[in-house]
Amino acid sequence: MRQALVEAEACRSSGDVPVGAVVVDADGTLLGTGRNEREAAGDPTAHAEVLALRAAARARGGWRLDGCTLVVTLEPCTMCAGAIVLARVPRLLLGAWDPRYGAAGSLRDVVRDRRLNHTVEVVGGVLEQECRALLDGFFAGRRDGG
């Protein structure tokens, strides 16, 4: 999660919501990283999770991420949760829960929906206070005109 927080911090320069993600294999080897780049890239799909999954798939040489863990600072949205399921990621570690858009247990639970062809183990609240503080600081700055 510490590496995902480093990725989230790097969003400061682009004005993107500070969310970071990393994918590690079963041995803990870093396969891919991502940070929100919607503003920087002008791409509505440039979420941290999607970018980390793409990088990990390139590193692996294939789209199946069996045996991997996705670590992300904020609970994934529905789009990202779908990507996690489709990539066959077995484990998701998340920092802060997202009651407005979360799709890993808060608003929806896409990643554990038994009707889908794959389900994901979810561990939430990892370094939650640090992840939440980063987000709260970003949005407080936006409300204050910063």
Side-chain angles (χ1 to χ4, degrees):
M1 185 60 76
R2 295 261 180 235
Q3 182 63 43
L5 280 163
V6 168
E7 292 295 323
E9 286 278 356
C11 291
R12 288 185 192 271
S13 61
S14 66
D16 278 288
V17 176
V19 177
V22 299
V23 177
V24 297
D25 68 12
D27 296 325
T29 302
L30 183 66
L31 297 177
T33 64
R35 67 179 68 109
N36 273 357
E37 294 183 7
R38 292 188 311 167
E39 299 296 331
D43 179 354
T45 68
H47 289 206
E49 301 94 325
V50 169
L51 298 176
L53 291 170
R54 287 176 184 165
R58 280 191 304 273
R60 271 246 173 127
W63 61 269
R64 291 180 190 268
L65 298 178
D66 300 322
C68 292
T69 299
L70 174 70
V71 182
V72 63
T73 58
L74 179 65
E75 180 182 3
C77 69
T78 303
M79 175 185 73
C80 293
I84 293 163
V85 169
L86 293 172
R88 309 297 196 274
V89 173
R91 191 171 311 98
L92 168 66
L93 274 61
L94 65 93
W97 294 96
D98 187 354
R100 288 186 64 202
Y101 299 105
S106 290
L107 180 63
R108 292 178 174 67
D109 201 351
V110 172
V111 297
R112 292 181 286 197
D113 189 329
R114 298 263 179 226
R115 296 170 294 179
L116 300 176
N117 65 333
H118 176 76
T119 58
V120 179
E121 174 191 356
V122 176
V123 178
V126 179
L127 297 180
E128 184 171 10
Q129 290 179 328
E130 291 175 54
C131 295
R132 173 63 50 210
L134 190 58
L135 290 160
D136 288 347
F138 172 81
F139 287 112
R142 304 278 287 218
R143 285 189 296 272
D144 297 338

